Amino acid sequence: MTALHKYLVALFASILVPASGLSQEVINTDTHRLEEVAEGVYFASGNGALYTMSNALIIERDNDVVVVDSHITPAAGRALMNSIEVVTDKPITTLINSHFHYDHANGTPAFGPNIQIIGHEYTYKKLTEEPANEQTYRSSLLRFDNTVANLEERITNANGGERAELQTQLEFWRAHVRAQDEIDFVPPTVSMSDVMTLFRGGREIQIHFLGRAHTGGDLAVFLPQERIVFTGDMMLGGISYLGDGYVAEWADTLQGLKQLDFDLILPGHGPSIADLNRIDYVQTYYADLTEEVRRLKSAGYSAEEAAARADLRQHADTLGVDQLGANLQAVQRMYDLIDGIAE
Ligand SMILES: [Zn+2]
């Protein structure tokens, strides 16, 4: 396995952590699991029928529906819309982008030209300035191509039941790669900087930018009456992807998140989080990673050496970091930020 591959395996393992205890009802559609986390508020995750990659949030108001995040492809976005129709026939009028990443924003074309799209001004910038050439997106395309190529190779050596299982996987990933052809980047129609509140239709929806973290424009969508917050990827059950992150600022941003009054976190990946101590766990990790990388950099180590030497094993119990070393891409990003190469 390559280092990136290992990192992704660890990432997906790390986000398969605690389930919530607050859910009321689960509705299963053809493509989604909709967890009703408050009356008329549904936490949506894909059921594996097609590749969605990320979670979404559905907020019903008196006369319309607000959606947070649109999944990874227009096909996945359409599947989300069809799942929404199972729980309500009200029109979807508003989409909020938690951040610019492909797996949360590339389903947006499915929602058509008349929808209002709210995003941070950084998200607007990223989705208007050459989004197709953006590094995180491009490496995802390569990763999915590799997944298909890998399965094709394994199938030639497999037999019987294993072959049938691999064939199913191959069709799933081929369908996803085909679905990428339809991607067309759609930026927000309304941008915001710090805070915006929607009051329409018997529901208060607060949208907060709490500082840079997973990207330069992460938004938290907070429902004060329902005491729930959708955090995108700035707060997952485990360590987030750090390739576009601002690790040195992340702990402060999470301190801002803690100032909101909620009982349940709905992350961009993985199950809902009722154990709010997990904020402390990741907050401490990002602070410790920052300190460790700064220490190694000032001792003269290259990013590669620092990634190999970084010791964060004090996070074994909380985040499963039981080996020496840190993700190279993350460390390189931190070096580039310190050196002023990245912005
Ligand atoms: Zn992301």
Side-chain angles (χ1 to χ4, degrees):
M1 278 204 286
T2 64
L4 175 65
H5 204 139
K6 269 189 198 154
Y7 173 67
L8 288 166
V9 169
L11 169 68
F12 288 107
S14 74
I15 58 189
L16 294 174
V17 271
S20 87
L22 302 181
S23 62
Q24 297 180 342
E25 193 192 348
V26 172
I27 296 130
N28 291 298
T29 72
D30 290 346
T31 52
H32 284 80
R33 180 180 187 276
L34 306 179
E35 183 183 349
E36 190 169 19
V37 288
E39 198 183 342
V41 182
Y42 305 88
F43 182 48
S45 47
N47 70 0
L50 84 172
Y51 195 51
T52 53
M53 190 158 170
S54 61
N55 297 326
L57 185 68
I58 301 157
I59 307 166
E60 209 181 322
R61 301 193 290 197
D62 287 344
N63 299 305
D64 66 348
V65 176
V66 177
V67 177
V68 188
D69 284 355
S70 62
H71 294 326
I72 187 170
T73 55
R78 274 195 300 277
L80 177 62
M81 293 176 77
N82 291 337
S83 289
I84 292 170
E85 278 180 19
V86 173
V87 292
T88 177
D89 53 12
K90 293 171 189 170
I92 301 163
T93 60
T94 309
L95 176 68
I96 302 169
N97 291 145
S98 69
H99 63 297
F100 78 90
H101 275 156
Y102 67 97
D103 51 328
H104 301 259
N106 283 0
T108 300
F111 292 82
N114 298 322
I115 194 154
Q116 172 166 272
I117 308 164
I118 300 171
H120 191 266
E121 51 200 23
Y122 182 85
T123 299
Y124 179 84
K125 180 171 175 278
K126 294 296 274 187
L127 289 176
T128 46
E129 291 176 2
E130 292 201 88
N133 289 325
E134 197 272 324
Q135 176 56 31
T136 293
Y137 172 62
R138 295 208 66 82
S139 61
S140 81
L141 299 180
L142 195 64
R143 197 169 72 243
F144 298 129
D145 284 347
N146 286 341
T147 300
V148 167
N150 219 309
L151 285 164
E152 284 169 345
E153 194 188 314
R154 283 170 62 197
I155 276 179
T156 57
N157 302 316
N159 46 33
E162 192 196 1
R163 194 183 183 97
E165 164 58 25
L166 291 173
Q167 191 63 42
T168 306
Q169 287 182 37
L170 180 59
E171 275 156 27
F172 174 89
W173 288 110
R174 275 182 177 158
H176 172 66
V177 168
R178 273 197 308 274
Q180 293 178 149
D181 291 344
E182 218 189 327
I183 288 171
D184 183 17
F185 298 89
V186 181
T189 58
V190 178
S191 73
M192 57 171 281
S193 54
D194 296 320
V195 66
M196 176 186 276
T197 307
L198 311 179
F199 293 105
R200 183 187 282 184
R203 189 86 76 181
E204 180 174 343
I205 303 173
Q206 295 182 10
I207 312 168
H208 292 267
F209 172 67
L210 300 162
R212 301 196 293 187
H214 173 69
T215 71
D218 305 300
L219 298 179
V221 178
F222 173 52
L223 305 184
Q225 270 81 50
E226 295 78 1
R227 300 177 60 83
I228 55 186
V229 64
F230 183 91
T231 51
D233 295 355
M234 69 174 279
M235 176 59 213
L236 300 181
I239 302 161
S240 294
Y241 168 72
L242 306 178
D244 293 318
Y246 296 86
V247 176
E249 298 166 43
W250 208 317
D252 280 349
T253 301
L254 290 173
Q255 200 57 37
L257 178 67
K258 286 177 175 175
Q259 306 312 307
L260 307 177
D261 211 4
F262 52 83
D263 304 314
L264 187 67
I265 297 168
L266 307 173
H269 302 274
S272 52
I273 302 164
D275 175 9
L276 302 186
N277 291 320
R278 296 209 75 81
I279 306 176
D280 295 325
Y281 302 159
V282 294
Q283 197 176 21
T284 320
Y285 176 84
Y286 296 135
D288 289 351
L289 177 61
T290 300
E291 198 179 310
E292 182 70 342
V293 168
R294 281 182 183 153
R295 181 182 73 79
L296 292 162
K297 190 171 192 301
S298 41
Y301 293 111
S302 68
E304 287 78 7
E305 289 163 340
R309 285 169 181 265
D311 190 354
L312 294 145
R313 287 174 291 183
Q314 67 269 37
H315 298 279
D317 289 347
T318 55
L319 295 170
V321 184
D322 52 8
Q323 306 222 351
L324 196 64
N327 174 256
L328 173 57
Q329 189 188 16
V331 173
Q332 186 65 59
R333 161 89 180 161
M334 294 167 78
Y335 268 52
D336 290 350
L337 284 169
I338 295 169
D339 292 334
I341 296 168
E343 57 176 62

